[in-house]
Amino acid sequence: MKIRVGIAGTSGSLMQDGWTQAFAQPGCGFEIVGNASLGSSHAVMLPYRLPLLDDVAMDVLIVDLCVNEQRALNRNLHDPAQTAALFAWLRGWCADRGILPVVLILPHVTTAGLRHSAVRDHWAEMCRAAGLPFLDGYRLLRHACFFGERAPRHFMSGPNHLNPRGAKMTAEVLMETLTRFLQHAQIGTEQGSVHEFRHVHLNGKAERSTSLMTEHLHRLLIGDTLRAETGPGDLVGMVLNMNASCAALVISGQDMRVKRLDSPHARADSTPAMVCWSLLHPVAAADDCFVLSVQPARDMSGQEDNDHTDPGRPAEVAEPAVELAGLVIRGPARARRLVMTSGAEPDLLRLLD
């Protein structure tokens, strides 16, 4: 009987020649039953995308979120505490459905080579504490480079993506070690205090379609305001069309924050690209709502940056605008069952020793 696999990752989980292809091969012992991945996004995408898998019968959920978090950390735009809260929420989501989460840590390689990754260390620590399986792509790549006498570029197509050779190697190791883990692991639950997270659709009038989805967005220009009735909680992320956003979002709740949503990808009449980006400094709702507006994005102006901006490549759009699909809200913490395991080594690479 095949192991049913769901996936919640970013661009590496969506590439046509990526690691997921090996899981779709006949006779591999696995079957992909749902893929809720979203490119160029952070862990806050989970409350937005996982509802697509609410009714999907699966045994494991492979989570691939580390590359974009490391990109954000490289620019001081990553909060490990927020990731920890989302990971706990994910464990609760999986416990309610009898699903085992599996963390795939894919490597981020810079011009300086394969460096130490604090994001990798944080995800590995969270998994070990809960006994949940994880594959360390950094260590796997180092081993492959050492024993194969190759440079990292032999397995990478760029700083953030494996090439077909690296993807195939990663998938084969993941399938082999995960099979061994499942033979010995005892899956159970424990009680924990977990923040609730939810995605609030803004139900805009502008319809945009991509190969993954159709969304309705609000297009905000200078002078526009949008009152978003979200209920109580803190705004921690936003879902946007990256290719049509070339301004900063002004968020007014109990406090005010300005978040840059511009990037070199913004183009007039370009194909939509939906992403979910985190807000480093969350804002609490005022009277159960937020008032949103836009202003021009500026360097060195006190606006919170995003990990895609590039001063040397400004957006090729003259009119400042933002296209928003929804907001990710963090609610209060409550007691909840969380999935955990015992009886097996969670560091999957050790199962090859």
Side-chain angles (χ1 to χ4, degrees), residues 294-307:
V294 298
Q295 63 180 225
R298 301 183 180 94
D299 294 329
M300 305 298 291
S301 63
Q303 299 175 351
E304 183 179 302
D305 204 357
N306 71 73
D307 55 293

Side-chain angles (χ1 to χ4, degrees), residues 34-56:
N35 191 337
S37 300
L38 191 68
S40 298
S41 297
H42 305 143
V44 286
M45 57 83 74
L46 292 172
Y48 169 53
R49 297 295 288 169
L50 282 189
L52 296 176
L53 303 179
D54 271 340
D55 299 321
V56 177

Side-chain angles (χ1 to χ4, degrees), residues 137-201:
Y138 284 84
R139 202 160 86 246
L140 175 61
L141 185 56
R142 286 194 183 97
H143 288 176
C145 290
F146 177 79
F147 291 107
E149 298 182 342
R150 300 285 188 175
R153 63 177 177 273
H154 184 71
F155 302 98
M156 303 289 295
S157 63
N160 303 312
H161 298 120
L162 297 166
N163 63 21
R165 183 185 298 109
K168 183 174 184 292
M169 173 188 69
T170 299
E172 289 176 347
V173 171
L174 180 56
M175 287 189 292
E176 171 67 21
T177 56
L178 182 55
T179 299
R180 296 185 187 186
F181 178 89
L182 292 172
Q183 290 171 349
H184 301 284
Q186 297 177 349
I187 303 173
T189 62
E190 61 183 359
Q191 287 294 118
S193 179
V194 180
H195 282 281
E196 288 299 312
F197 288 89
R198 66 186 186 276
H199 172 250
V200 178
H201 287 275

